[in-house]
């Protein structure tokens, strides 16, 4: 069924289709319409789930952690300071290997108070051991919720599905609501590896020692470090599991196809601009305008940010002259986190690996990009004007025109698009 | 009320293994052993960081035969709600959900989640074992540390503030059952847990648990000191059932006898009260006498 609705409703419909059993949430703008919609579905009898109106975000995730440990499919959603208030629980959910799904409706964090969109909230959670997906439009939100549950349950790792506050949460767009029967084929009922049960008692998340330790039967049990090592291993494996789930989804629903990165006009590109979320679709217009001027430029959208698709990123960027990374967040004191991650990936796969195989079939050099330029835009919901993006990229290309390795722009990093000082 | 449980009628089945990591003379270990007998096997426990986390053992060994979810410090009651709703979604409502936290995890960092769950009236039992301080981290003051007690972070002057009255706060939520108990009266605790489990909604039981290293007394006096707290009128045993306050057990008998042991007899048993001046002891006695004057008047 094709409908026109806002992004929060798209998420709520996805959660309903996914058959979440326990939903706990605390209101925060711009997440509220999503949880209001879920409460409405449940009170109207359209959805069989337990809705818990908790007294804080910390408790929202606490309730989900307990529900998931008891074997129920659990969902929550939040934004900005609500997400930060959960921080301890976010680590806990990943360490406990619980397949909880959370929608993060991206918003700037205080201080000062700012309710508008940027990515600082979810980027600040990148080291917690959660999988992070970024949606670019309403279709990716509703489909993304289903994929998030599938991926979480396949890996026993919680998933954050992030989408831009207001730009997606409160705007209306047409999208396809997945068919319930097909969803049943895609997402099987939740069967946790262990659920709390008096008939089979276990003490979960108990104090665990630095070293491995024998259990009463003489078997060696993991130490804390082994438990954390396995989380990291399984997160890395989630790159391929995520792609398999994407392929499965595409075969059933006939859309989607790339779980990790979404390239647009990158094939013959000299320059690629990289971003996440709705910005990457806006950048397609920018790329079209610059192509009309004769610039060979493309866009690479990062769909899965954690685990970071380093190989896919390096493959997509190996043949280009320069890379621009535009972010709505910063690792304060350095640069955008995505920019750092991307440079690490290029170093790992292109520089350390000695490039990726010499001249390509089309005769262009394949080595590594001559520069990676970080840019910051849209902090605290500052309008990101397509014209400003076009100007910034045009200027960036001009500054490095004909540049080899020495052509990299050396000014302070990152550049702030649209700053008025 | 049902017949009082005696040592002869107490169930034999044990849910706490012997040889656990509790300190000798630990009030909690008594309350826990007897309390779990009252809870029975069809129970899931939720425990925040506390001495109980240590008592339960280090992975992969556990000293408790009931399933237990260890949760973050502030989240015991919120986790209880999530567990209840999960059990409901799975048709397993018969399983009892019980939060068991220390005084810090109840009165301080845990009170927001506890208040939220009580306001929602979620159907679970919350047990607070009150050893009057952060004993697991080395005896720091908590909201329920009594006035005048020396702790690791009130090392010279002692705690300057009064003890937070958590049972009264819980009763103010309008929940159907709030009770106080003491590890020195374990059978009374047993009966109160049984009663709580027979009621719907949020139930709260506050358990006074003397702590030999934290309070500064020899382990063999754990029961004696717990009883002295009651016999001096310093800590009262009562129930608030559907809003009705009623002294119970040993405290109820004290109203009839009208003969409280002077509070100095209790205070002098513990080195944490070593800095109290005679004036401060007299002030504590005066507060107790005022409180008990009220009890006597209601009983006339």
């Amino acid at each position: 069924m094709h409908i026109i609705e806002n992004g929060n409703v798209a998420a709520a419909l996805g959660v309903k289709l996914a058959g979440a059993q326990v939903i706990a949430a605390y209101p925060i703008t711009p997440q509220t319409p999503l949880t209001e919609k879920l409460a409405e579905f449940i009170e109207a009898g359209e959805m069989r789930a337990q809705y818990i109106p908790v007294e804080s975000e910390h408790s929202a995730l606490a309730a989900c952690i307990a529900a998931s440990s008891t074997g129920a499919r659990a969902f929550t959603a939040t934004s900005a300071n609500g997400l930060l208030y959960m921080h301890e629980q976010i680590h806990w959910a990943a360490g406990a290997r619980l397949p909880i799904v959370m929608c993060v409706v991206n918003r700037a964090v205080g201080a000062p108070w700012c309710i508008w969109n940027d990515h600082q909230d979810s980027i600040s959670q990148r080291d917690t051991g959660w999988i992070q997906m970024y949606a670019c439009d309403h279709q990716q939100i509703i489909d993304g919720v289903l994929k998030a549950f599938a991926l979480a349950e396949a890996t026993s790792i919680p998933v954050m599905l992030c989408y831009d506050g207001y730009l997606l949460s409160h705007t209306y767009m047409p999208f396809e609501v997945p068919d319930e029967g097909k969803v049943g084929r895609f997402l099987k009922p939740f069967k946790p590896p262990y659920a709390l049960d008096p008939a089979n008692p276990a003490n979960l998340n108990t104090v665990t020692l630095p070293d491995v330790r024998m259990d009463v039967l003489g078997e060696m049990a993991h130490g804390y470090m082994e438990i954390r090592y396995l989380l990291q291993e399984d997160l890395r494996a989630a790159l391929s599991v995520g792609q398999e789930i994407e392929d499965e989804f595409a075969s059933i629903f006939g859309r989607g196809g790339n779980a990790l990165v979404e390239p647009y006009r990158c094939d013959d590109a000299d320059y690629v601009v990289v971003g996440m979320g709705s910005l990457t679709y806006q950048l397609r217009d920018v790329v079209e305008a610059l192509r009309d001027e004769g610039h060979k430029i493309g866009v690479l959208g990062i769909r899965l940010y954690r685990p970071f698709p380093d190989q896919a990123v390096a493959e997509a960027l190996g043949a280009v002259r320069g890379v621009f990374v535009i972010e709505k967040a910063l690792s304060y004191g350095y640069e955008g986190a995505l920019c750092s991650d991307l440079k690490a990936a290029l170093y790992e796969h292109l520089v350390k690996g000695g490039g990726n195989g010499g001249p390509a079939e089309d005769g262009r050099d394949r080595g590594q990009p001559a520069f990676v330029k970080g840019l910051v835009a849209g902090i605290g919901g500052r309008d990101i004007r397509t014209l400003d993006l076009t100007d910034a990229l045009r200027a960036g290309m001009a500054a490095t025109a004909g540049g080899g390795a020495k052509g990299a722009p050396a000014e302070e990093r990152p550049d702030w698009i649209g700053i008025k000082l | 009320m049902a017949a009082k449980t005696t040592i002869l009628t107490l169930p034999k089945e044990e849910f706490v293994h012997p040889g656990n990591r509790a300190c000798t003379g630990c009030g909690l270990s008594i309350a826990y052993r007897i309390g779990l007998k009252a809870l029975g096997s069809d129970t899931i426990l939720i425990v925040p960081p506390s001495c109980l986390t240590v008592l339960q053992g280090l992975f992969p060994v556990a000293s408790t035969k009931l399933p237990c979810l260890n949760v973050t410090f502030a989240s015991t009651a919120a986790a209880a709600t999530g567990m209840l709703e999960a059990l409901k979604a799975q048709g397993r409502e018969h399983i009892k959900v019980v939060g068991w936290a220390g005084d810090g995890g109840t009165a301080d960092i845990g009170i927001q989640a506890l208040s939220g769950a009580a306001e929602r009236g979620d159907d679970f039992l919350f047990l607070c074992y009150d050893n009057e301080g952060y004993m697991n981290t080395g005896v720091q003051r908590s909201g329920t540390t009594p006035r005048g007690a020396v702790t690791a972070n009130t090392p010279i002057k002692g705690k300057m503030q009064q003890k937070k009255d958590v049972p009264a706060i819980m009763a103010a939520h309008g929940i159907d059952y709030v009770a106080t108990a003491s590890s020195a009266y374990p059978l009374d605790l047993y009966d109160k847990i049984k009663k709580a489990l027979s009621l719907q909604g949020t139930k709260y039981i506050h358990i006074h648990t003397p702590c030999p290293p934290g309070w500064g007394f020899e382990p063999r006096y754990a029961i004696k000191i717990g009883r002295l707290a009651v016999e001096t009128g310093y800590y009262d045993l009562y129930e608030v059932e559907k809003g009705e306050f009623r002294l119970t057990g040993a405290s109820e008998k004290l109203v009839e006898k009208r003969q409280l042991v002077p509070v100095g007899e209790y205070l002098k048993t513990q080195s944490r009260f070593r800095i109290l001046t005679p004036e401060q002891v007299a002030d504590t006695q005066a507060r107790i006498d005022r409180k008990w004057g009220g009890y006597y008047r209601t009983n006339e």
Side-chain angles (χ1 to χ4, degrees):
Chain A
M1 185 177 53
H2 230 67
I3 63 167
I4 298 176
E5 257 300 351
N6 65 53
N8 277 328
V9 170
L13 287 167
V15 175
K16 182 181 163 196
L17 280 168
Q21 294 167 290
V22 175
I23 295 159
Y26 186 78
I28 183 167
T29 302
Q31 154 264 35
T32 33
L34 158 56
T35 52
E36 287 165 5
K37 197 72 192 170
L38 288 169
E40 183 190 317
F41 285 151
I42 294 166
E43 283 202 11
E46 294 172 35
M47 181 179 181
R48 277 171 53 90
Q50 311 296 322
Y51 186 90
I52 312 173
V54 282
E55 74 297 328
S56 79
E57 286 91 355
H58 193 275
S59 286
L61 200 43
C64 288
I65 285 166
S68 191
S69 302
T70 312
R73 193 173 269 168
F75 175 83
T76 185
T78 190
S79 299
N81 288 62
L83 185 67
L84 305 190
Y85 195 39
M86 286 180 177
H87 183 66
E88 174 192 32
Q89 305 283 44
I90 292 174
H91 275 285
W92 194 271
R97 303 298 300 266
L98 301 171
I100 296 163
V101 170
M102 162 157 60
C103 279
V104 176
V105 189
N106 288 117
R107 163 184 154 177
V109 300
W113 282 120
C114 180
I115 62 164
W116 293 275
N117 166 248
D118 69 29
H119 287 171
Q120 194 65 49
D121 51 0
S122 55
I123 290 294
S124 297
Q125 306 303 321
R126 70 169 182 169
D127 298 337
T128 54
W130 281 55
I131 293 166
Q132 279 197 0
M133 298 161 53
Y134 286 78
C136 302
D137 65 11
H138 295 34
Q139 193 66 59
Q140 290 185 0
I141 294 173
I142 190 168
D143 294 350
V145 170
L146 300 173
K147 292 173 196 169
F149 275 109
L151 181 53
E153 290 166 14
T155 57
S156 292
I157 297 173
V159 177
M160 262 178 228
L161 175 64
C162 309
Y163 58 91
D164 290 304
Y166 301 107
L167 299 173
L168 294 180
S169 69
H170 284 63
T171 54
Y172 285 69
M173 280 195 217
F175 57 89
E176 178 76 21
V177 178
D179 171 72
E180 226 177 303
K182 287 182 180 174
V183 171
R185 274 202 285 147
F186 173 71
L187 187 62
K188 304 289 177 297
F190 177 37
K191 286 213 180 64
Y194 175 79
L196 283 162
D197 183 6
N200 181 21
N203 195 340
L204 302 185
N205 315 320
T206 189
V207 179
T208 302
L209 295 169
D211 213 338
V212 296
R213 188 174 187 224
M214 200 93 83
D215 71 11
V216 288
L217 303 173
E219 304 234 350
M220 202 56 85
H222 297 323
Y224 179 89
M225 197 152 134
E226 284 68 32
I227 291 169
R228 289 289 166 161
Y229 172 85
L230 291 170
L231 172 60
Q232 163 70 0
E233 287 291 292
D234 292 345
L235 264 166
R236 292 305 298 167
L239 287 167
S240 54
V241 178
Q243 189 53 52
E244 285 162 22
I245 285 169
E246 183 78 19
D247 294 342
E248 165 86 1
F249 188 93
S251 75
I252 294 174
F253 295 94
R255 62 175 174 270
N258 203 331
L260 312 182
V261 293
E262 202 173 21
Y264 178 80
R265 302 203 70 171
C266 289
D267 284 349
D268 65 338
D270 291 330
Y271 300 94
V272 167
V273 52
V274 182
M276 298 199 292
S278 62
L279 174 65
T280 60
Y281 281 14
Q282 185 183 1
L283 281 165
R284 291 181 177 188
D285 289 341
V286 176
V287 158
E288 288 302 333
L290 290 168
R291 287 229 168 217
D292 287 346
E293 296 173 15
H295 300 288
K296 285 186 169 178
I297 186 165
V299 188
L300 185 71
I302 305 292
R303 298 286 310 282
L304 189 72
Y305 176 57
R306 279 292 180 276
F308 192 65
D310 52 311
Q311 183 133 21
V313 166
E315 278 168 14
L317 301 177
V320 306
R321 187 176 298 156
V323 179
F324 300 94
V325 184
I326 307 184
E327 291 178 78
K328 297 182 181 179
L330 267 174
S331 175
Y332 279 92
Y334 193 40
E335 62 184 359
L338 173 60
C339 190
S340 296
D341 291 337
L342 182 143
K343 286 195 274 193
L346 297 185
Y347 180 79
E348 181 68 26
H349 293 282
L350 301 182
V351 179
K352 240 169 81 177
N356 61 354
E361 283 167 21
D362 60 6
R364 295 188 322 135
D365 279 342
R366 285 191 186 266
Q368 58 269 345
F371 70 87
V372 175
K373 174 70 191 157
L375 299 128
V376 166
I379 298 294
R382 175 68 58 88
D383 274 349
I384 305 178
R385 301 189 326 150
T386 300
L387 190 64
D388 290 344
L389 291 173
T390 313
D391 288 346
L393 293 174
R394 193 190 292 112
M397 289 186 287
T400 60
K406 293 211 167 79
E411 64 271 37
E412 79 278 10
R413 66 186 164 205
D415 277 356
W416 293 57
I417 299 174
I419 196 80
K420 295 173 182 171
L421 282 175
Chain B
M1 195 181 164
K4 283 190 164 50
T5 301
T6 68
I7 196 73
L8 297 175
T9 56
L10 191 70
K12 299 253 181 312
E13 187 176 2
E14 299 287 349
F15 294 96
V16 185
H17 292 291
N20 62 55
R21 303 179 87 94
C23 304
T24 313
C26 171
L28 165 64
S29 67
I30 299 166
Y32 195 56
R33 177 172 163 249
I34 303 300
L36 262 49
K37 285 174 183 271
L39 295 175
S41 59
D42 209 18
T43 303
I44 305 177
L45 292 163
I46 301 170
V47 174
S50 71
C51 292
L52 182 50
T53 321
V54 178
L55 185 156
Q56 288 194 331
L58 305 171
F59 183 75
V61 174
S63 68
T64 304
K65 294 184 197 172
L66 296 179
C68 176
L69 183 65
N70 289 275
V71 298
T72 60
F73 215 164
S75 66
T76 312
T81 305
M83 187 177 289
L84 281 169
E85 299 305 323
L87 292 170
K88 237 183 258 175
Q90 299 164 329
R92 296 199 287 159
E93 294 98 324
H94 57 91
I95 296 171
K96 298 179 284 281
V97 174
V98 177
W100 196 310
D103 43 290
T106 303
D108 296 342
I109 195 170
I111 200 164
Q112 175 176 309
L114 177 57
S115 177
E119 182 269 330
R120 291 188 297 270
D122 296 325
D123 186 17
F124 74 105
L125 171 60
F126 193 103
L127 293 146
C128 167
Y129 72 94
D130 183 8
N131 52 24
E132 304 187 324
Y134 291 90
M135 302 321 189
N136 193 34
T137 47
V139 195
Q140 293 83 22
R141 82 186 280 288
S142 78
T144 67
T145 301
R147 193 194 302 270
V150 169
T151 69
N153 59 355
T154 55
I156 296 166
K157 297 178 181 174
K159 184 182 169 185
M160 313 291 274
Q161 300 82 10
Q162 77 288 2
K163 180 182 174 84
K164 189 190 281 192
D165 190 350
V166 185
I169 294 169
M170 293 313 296
H173 284 76
I175 57 178
D176 279 358
Y177 190 74
V178 172
T180 62
S182 164
S183 58
Y185 300 91
L187 298 175
D188 176 64
L189 168 65
Y190 180 93
D191 285 337
K192 282 171 174 164
I193 291 176
K194 280 288 186 196
K195 187 179 204 174
L197 293 175
S198 73
L199 300 167
Q200 292 293 306
T202 310
K203 286 84 59 175
Y204 178 82
I205 299 178
H206 195 93
I207 313 164
H208 201 227
T209 52
C211 169
W215 295 8
F217 65 83
E218 281 187 45
R220 62 190 162 128
Y221 296 127
I223 297 291
K224 186 181 174 188
I225 287 172
R227 289 193 174 187
L228 264 175
V230 173
E231 288 160 2
T232 54
Y234 189 81
Y235 182 85
D236 310 329
L237 302 177
Y238 63 82
E239 290 177 330
V240 185
E241 199 177 346
K242 295 190 167 64
E244 292 287 317
F245 175 93
R246 190 174 73 83
L247 287 172
T248 58
S251 294
E252 190 181 13
K253 291 200 185 84
L254 282 174
V255 174
E256 291 155 19
K257 285 206 289 190
R258 301 209 170 194
Q259 221 172 17
L260 297 177
V261 175
V263 74
E265 298 298 307
Y266 172 69
L267 299 173
K268 74 179 188 191
T269 58
Q270 302 153 56
S271 69
R272 64 175 173 160
F273 292 122
R274 64 186 174 272
I275 60 155
L276 287 183
T277 61
E279 292 75 28
Q280 285 172 311
V281 174
D283 177 63
T284 307
Q285 186 65 61
R287 287 165 192 267
I288 290 173
D289 291 344
R290 274 202 299 280
K291 178 177 69 176
W292 279 80
Y295 292 160
Y296 297 150
R297 279 193 296 282
T298 355
N299 200 45
E300 273 161 7

